[in-house]
Amino acid sequence: GDSVIQMQGQVTLSENDFLFINCTYSTTGYPTLFWYVQYSGEGPQLLLQVTTANNKGSSRGFEATYDKGTTSFHLQKTSVQEIDSAVYYCAMSPRNMGYKLTFGTGTSLLVDP
Amino acid sequence: DPKIIQKPKYLVAVTGSEKILICEQYLGHNAMYWYRQSAKKPLEFMFSYSYQKLMDNQTASSRFQPQSSKKNHLDLQITALKPDDSATYFCASSGQGNQAPLFGEGTRLSVL
C-alpha cells in the first residue's frame, strides 16, 4: 500500500535559521505531493502542492522540491521566524485523487526568538 | 470566520454509547470527507462523499456511518464507542475530488 515516511519528529531552530524537512514515499504510479501545516488547536492547512511533473512549489517563503530518483520530497525555508512554529506534515495522494491523502507522522517545529 | 464548521469542538463519551459529529461547509464545495487523527497513528482518510453519495470508504468498521442530509453537510455517526475511537476527527472538503482538501478545526472525542 501507499506510505509516507517522515523521520524528523521534532526540530528546534533559532530565528533566521535554515529549515529542511525530508519525506520519502512509496506508491505505484505518479502521485501528487503536499505539505500541510497545523497550528495548535486548528486543522491542517494546505501549504504547498507539488506535482511530480513540475518538481517544485513555493508559498509564504517555503519551497518544496521533489526527487523522483529517490522518491523523496523536501520542504525548506531559508530564514524561519517564530510564527513558523507549528507541525508540518508531508502527504501524498494518487494522481487525480487529491482528496485521498496519506500523511506522514509530522515534524513539530519550534522556533526560538 | 471558519468556512468549515465542526460541532462540538470537544466531546466526552462513555464506552458503548453513540455520538454524532456535525460538519457543515460554506465553501460551495461538492465533495466532503472525514479524516481521523489519533495519538497512535498519523492523520488518516476515512470517507469521501461527492454530491451526497459515498465515493470511497477506508474505514473497516461499520460502527462509523457518514450521514449527508444536505449537500453541504456531512455528519459522522459513531456507534458502540470504544476507548480506541478517542481521536480528533476532521471534516474536510474540496471543489472536486482531484483537489487537495481544506480541513475544519476538528472535533476532539474522548471515550472513557
Side-chain angles (χ1 to χ4, degrees):
Chain A
D2 295 344
S3 68
V4 177
I5 306 295
Q6 188 171 2
M7 294 298 292
Q8 298 151 285
Q10 202 159 334
V11 172
T12 301
L13 297 172
S14 299
E15 280 197 326
N16 301 314
D17 279 354
F18 176 73
L19 171 69
F20 184 85
I21 303 173
N22 179 64
C23 288
T24 58
Y25 67 90
S26 175
T27 186
T28 56
Y30 300 93
T32 303
L33 309 171
F34 304 88
W35 287 95
Y36 276 80
V37 58
Q38 187 175 27
Y39 299 98
S40 182
E42 298 182 11
Q45 300 175 19
L46 179 64
L47 179 60
L48 283 167
Q49 175 175 326
V50 183
T51 62
T52 50
N54 66 17
N55 295 352
K56 232 181 226 189
S58 63
S59 173
R60 298 194 240 167
F62 289 89
E63 186 175 80
T65 56
Y66 151 74
D67 185 331
K68 181 181 177 183
T70 58
T71 61
S72 63
F73 57 124
H74 325 290
L75 180 71
Q76 62 185 53
K77 187 174 186 181
T78 305
S79 177
V80 294
Q81 303 301 308
E82 191 179 1
I83 58 168
D84 295 324
S85 297
V87 181
Y88 292 83
Y89 293 94
C90 51
M92 169 185 74
S93 75
R95 178 72 61 87
N96 296 323
M97 294 174 74
Y99 70 88
K100 196 167 185 174
L101 297 166
T102 299
F103 280 89
T105 48
T107 297
S108 179
L109 171 65
L110 176 63
V111 180
D112 291 330
Chain B
D1 287 338
K3 302 298 185 189
I4 301 177
I5 298 172
Q6 289 190 244
K7 299 175 188 175
K9 196 168 177 67
Y10 302 99
L11 190 55
V12 178
V14 175
T15 296
S17 66
E18 171 183 316
K19 292 293 180 186
I20 296 180
L21 282 55
I22 306 294
C23 177
E24 307 168 74
Q25 56 90 3
Y26 296 94
L27 295 162
H29 286 166
N30 299 314
M32 297 184 70
Y33 321 104
W34 279 101
Y35 278 76
R36 174 171 52 197
Q37 185 175 42
S38 67
K40 299 176 185 176
K41 295 182 181 179
L43 264 160
E44 55 181 347
F45 168 76
M46 300 178 72
F47 296 100
S48 163
Y49 264 65
S50 180
Y51 293 97
Q52 296 185 263
K53 292 184 180 177
L54 179 66
M55 302 301 289
D56 198 346
N57 177 359
Q58 288 295 112
T59 304
S61 174
S62 61
R63 296 186 299 107
F64 295 83
Q65 290 292 327
Q67 299 170 344
S68 181
S69 59
K70 297 180 187 178
K71 179 185 165 186
N72 68 327
H73 282 232
L74 185 64
D75 301 335
L76 181 63
Q77 179 186 39
I78 314 174
T79 58
L81 279 160
K82 303 177 181 180
D84 271 356
D85 297 331
S86 298
T88 300
Y89 291 82
F90 289 101
C91 177
S93 69
S94 65
Q96 298 173 20
N98 62 349
Q99 296 172 339
L102 301 178
F103 287 81
E105 296 190 342
T107 291
R108 190 169 186 174
L109 172 65
S110 297
V111 183
L112 307 176

